[in-house]
């Protein structure tokens, strides 16, 4: 690993064991850690999503069956130990040989369940200080990374499936999507050039990475304009016979608009509305009215039952003029509904994006938030 680091090469090391042991060893030895996170499935903490330190895999499975309450206690004690180690690495004393670790929550309910266990993860800032509205001392990666860079600009996981099951059709869709993004890159404003460039690189190299397992399907991050232009090109190719069968469009729930989840997808919507499910429901209903082939509204997914509402859709493209009409109407709504809400929450990138969309689409009228002078409010209260 050290040799690879000196060469400037990436190096991956697999650890077989309980990660709490690793966290504690890193903290005890004051090992430099630049970035830290946890992707443990804590949306299912009591049935195998998280295994407590001090028990083997077999012992944990036996305890789940024999004494679920005792297993829960072991998990919560383990979470508290893990957080102590993480806090130590993230708050190293000034004058140390290296800086403190940046820790972020991936979104599978690590901070939520750690807080419920009594771990020291709550924000040390009084209301109105530190990160705006922060509940936890560490951010969700949607707050600091995915939200500002992708969701607030309308970029999210756009999906399509070739119903023919023919790899040749998938290769054709990859080429078409790449050509669309290439054209967009040359005319894109600086705000979103990097996002388009990254996804162009991804789709141009998708085939050689051999990621397809089962269905001939692809996933690509794109904004509203990108999704519509790619879908239009697919529909035209189906009409001409360049693609042999219909294509089904969709997206992941981890997207701009389709999910209300205060601990992940909507973690950076800090106007108070992240604890409501209005966006997912509005997308679900709006997608239906605007031409989706099927829609879904469901609970759970990534952060656990009762913590999230997801609105999803599927849209069949068959090469028809009606498909062309429906894809433009529905995809535009599916993305921009979320950008509008993020703009209302005063996210600067979302505000820029929705203003750009209103220029591109004059029929779109969005009420924008009035920016208050925080200093004036602080003075009054």
């Amino acid at each position: 690993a050290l040799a690879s680091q000196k060469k400037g090469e990436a190096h991956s090391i697999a650890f077989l064991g309980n990660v709490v042991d690793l966290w504690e060893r890193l903290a005890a030895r004051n090992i430099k850690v630049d970035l830290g996170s946890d992707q443990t499935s804590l949306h299912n903490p009591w049935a195998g999503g998280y295994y407590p330190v001090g028990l083997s895999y077999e012992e944990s499975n036996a305890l789940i069956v024999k004494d679920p309450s005792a297993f829960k206690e072991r998990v919560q004690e383990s979470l508290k130990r893990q957080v102590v180690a993480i806090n130590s690495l993230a708050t190293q004393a000034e004058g140390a040989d290296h800086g403190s670790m940046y820790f972020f929550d991936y979104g599978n309910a690590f901070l939520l369940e750690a807080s419920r266990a009594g771990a020291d993860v709550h924000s040390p800032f009084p209301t109105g200080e530190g990160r705006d509205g922060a509940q936890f001392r560490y951010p969700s990666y949607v707050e600091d990374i995915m939200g500002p860079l992708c969701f607030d600009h309308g970029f999210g996981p756009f999906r399509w499936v070739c119903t023919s099951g023919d790899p040749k059709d998938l290769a054709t869709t990859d080429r078409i999507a790449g050509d669309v993004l290439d054209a967009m890159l040359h005319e894109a404003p600086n705000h979103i050039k990097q996002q388009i460039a990254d996804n162009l690189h991804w789709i141009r190299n998708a085939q050689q990475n051999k990621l397809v397992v089962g269905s001939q399907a692809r996933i690509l991050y794109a904004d509203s304009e990108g999704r519509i232009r790619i879908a239009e090109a697919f529909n035209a190719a189906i009409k001409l016979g360049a693609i042999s069968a219909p294509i089904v469009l969709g997206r992941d729930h981890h997207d701009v608009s389709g999910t209300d989840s205060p601990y992940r997808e909507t973690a950076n919507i800090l106007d108070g509305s992240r604890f409501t499910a209005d966006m997912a429901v509005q997308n679900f209903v709006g997608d239906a009215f605007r031409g989706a082939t099927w829609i879904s509204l469901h609970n759970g997914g990534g952060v656990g039952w009762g913590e999230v509402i997801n609105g999803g859709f599927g849209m069949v493209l068959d090469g028809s003029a009606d498909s062309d009409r429906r894809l433009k109407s529905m995809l535009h709504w599916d993305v921009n509904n979320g950008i509008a809400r993020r703009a209302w929450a005063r996210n600067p990138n979302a505000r820029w994006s929705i203003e750009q969309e209103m220029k591109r689409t004059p029929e779109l009228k969005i009420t924008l938030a009035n920016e208050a002078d925080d200093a004036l409010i602080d003075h009054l209260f």
Side-chain angles (χ1 to χ4, degrees), residues 338-371:
I339 300 177
R341 181 179 178 195
R342 294 170 186 278
W344 182 253
R346 300 191 303 168
N347 295 1
N349 288 347
R351 176 149 185 157
W352 178 88
S353 295
I354 206 64
E355 287 175 344
Q356 294 297 114
E357 189 58 56
M358 284 192 283
K359 293 176 184 176
R360 186 166 46 237
T361 310
E363 302 91 337
L364 181 66
K365 306 294 182 184
I366 301 295
T367 302
L368 297 175
N370 291 309
E371 298 286 340

Side-chain angles (χ1 to χ4, degrees), residues 15 43 55 71 103 124 132 155 195 212 221 252 295 348 364 367:
F15 173 71
H43 54 285
L55 294 178
F71 179 79
F103 183 86
D132 291 340
F155 284 86
Q195 288 88 333
V212 173
Y221 269 62
D252 194 81
I295 51 174
L364 181 66
T367 302

Side-chain angles (χ1 to χ4, degrees), residues 164-183:
S164 65
D166 189 343
K168 293 179 181 178
D169 281 341
L170 184 61
T172 300
T173 64
D174 287 346
R175 176 183 55 77
I176 290 173
D179 290 347
V180 169
L181 292 184
D182 191 42

Side-chain angles (χ1 to χ4, degrees), residues 43-44 106-109 252-254 259-261 263-265 298-310:
H43 54 285
N44 184 27
Y106 170 76
N108 279 2
D252 194 81
H253 66 264
H254 186 56
T259 294
D260 288 283
S261 177
Y263 305 108
R264 192 162 73 180
E265 283 81 3
H298 51 99
N299 195 312
V303 292
W305 294 101
E307 308 294 351
V308 56
I309 295 292
N310 304 299

Side-chain angles (χ1 to χ4, degrees), residues 10 22 47 50 114 126 128 169 186 214 257 260 318 327-328 339 344 354:
L22 179 58
Y50 182 99
D169 281 341
H186 289 89
S257 310
D260 288 283
D318 59 8
L327 74 86
K328 292 173 184 174
I339 300 177
W344 182 253
I354 206 64

Side-chain angles (χ1 to χ4, degrees), residues 283-353:
N283 264 57
F284 164 82
V285 175
D287 287 352
F289 277 94
R290 289 168 176 265
T293 307
W294 61 82
I295 51 174
S296 62
L297 188 68
H298 51 99
N299 195 312
V303 292
W305 294 101
E307 308 294 351
V308 56
I309 295 292
N310 304 299
F313 76 88
M315 172 174 277
V316 176
L317 302 181
D318 59 8
S320 67
D322 190 54
S323 282
D324 194 63
R325 176 189 62 82
R326 288 185 290 109
L327 74 86
K328 292 173 184 174
S329 176
M330 199 220 75
L331 292 175
H332 187 272
W333 164 262
D334 192 69
V335 176
N336 284 292
N337 178 48
I339 300 177
R341 181 179 178 195
R342 294 170 186 278
W344 182 253
R346 300 191 303 168
N347 295 1
N349 288 347
R351 176 149 185 157
W352 178 88
S353 295

